[in-house]
Amino acid sequence: MSALGCPVVSGNADRQTLEAPQPLQPRSFPDEQEIHDIGQWSAAQLTETERDTLRSFVPSVEREDLLCFHGSPARDDEVLDAGTPAERLEELRAEYGQQSIWIGGHTHQPLLRSLNGWRLLNPGSVGLPFEKRGGKYVNPARAESLLLDWTEGDWAVTFRRVPYPLAPLKEGILASGMPHARWLAAEWVEG
């Protein structure tokens, strides 16, 4: 993307990857130790050139009637979803812009929320979608995205899900040398 001159929005994982290694700070989430250890291992795999690429990512991208960010325009780890109070969204809009389309991430969950003439979108996740199945969170083998088309004076939003083969994904995880590889491979299911 840097070769294309295309801006890339930085997320909380990108920021954390560039930070010095940190000890686990438990928050009572499931599988915290495994997630922490894999994150620390992943950060250690990057070359300085790859770190420079991460450093080139930006907190937000603004295009005419469009604002893109990770968590929120204020913080890369703020959750904006269907339950976010309208008052909080209006606070953010007063500070960061009145674009008719806001696209965020962080929750890894697709979202289209319409509010008083503007829309809050989340494409889901290309690399780490999750959903609850049988009382447990799993990672379906699929890439989620959204496509925006300017049609007849308005944005047309199309959500997409593309499944990919599960076996090669699990094989790659198991061959990677990462800690907790068996645990992570077991988290992935058919998309």
Side-chain angles (χ1 to χ4, degrees):
M1 290 171 273
S2 57
L4 296 174
C6 178
V8 177
V9 172
S10 176
N12 61 305
D14 303 312
R15 173 179 45 78
Q16 292 164 347
T17 297
L18 293 171
E19 294 172 351
Q22 300 291 319
L24 175 65
Q25 297 175 353
R27 298 182 294 168
S28 300
F29 293 147
D31 309 311
E32 283 182 300
Q33 187 68 57
E34 291 84 352
I35 293 166
H36 174 268
D37 293 349
I38 291 169
Q40 297 291 301
W41 176 85
S42 297
Q45 306 310 301
L46 296 179
T47 66
E48 197 55 35
T49 300
E50 291 164 334
R51 289 178 179 283
D52 286 344
T53 298
L54 283 180
R55 287 184 195 101
S56 75
F57 295 0
V58 295
S60 63
V61 174
E62 194 173 336
R63 295 286 187 265
E64 295 183 28
D65 202 26
L66 177 68
L67 179 64
C68 303
F69 46 85
H70 186 73
S72 81
R75 291 192 345 256
D76 64 18
D77 60 356
E78 182 172 7
V79 172
L80 298 184
D81 61 14
T84 302
E87 297 79 26
R88 175 60 181 151
L89 296 173
E90 290 308 322
E91 286 172 12
L92 289 167
R93 284 175 52 89
E95 185 171 348
Y96 293 97
Q98 298 293 311
Q99 298 86 349
S100 70
I101 297 282
W102 279 29
I103 302 175
H106 190 58
T107 66
H108 297 236
Q109 299 290 301
L111 173 72
L112 189 158
R113 183 172 172 187
S114 296
L115 302 117
N116 300 324
W118 70 283
R119 288 175 278 182
L120 174 63
L121 305 172
N122 187 323
S125 179
V126 169
L128 194 62
F130 68 87
E131 64 185 43
K132 202 168 193 176
R133 290 187 187 175
K136 178 183 185 230
Y137 284 98
V138 296
N139 301 108
R142 66 174 180 242
E144 299 170 334
S145 63
L146 71 81
L147 178 65
L148 280 179
D149 259 332
W150 184 254
T151 306
E152 299 178 18
D154 195 13
W155 292 107
V157 180
T158 305
F159 286 89
R160 299 197 173 179
R161 284 186 170 172
V162 179
Y164 47 82
L166 182 60
L169 172 68
K170 288 186 175 210
E171 290 166 11
I173 291 169
L174 293 171
S176 69
M178 76 172 63
H180 314 292
R182 288 195 183 284
W183 166 81
L184 183 59
E187 294 290 298
W188 287 87
V189 299
E190 291 291 338

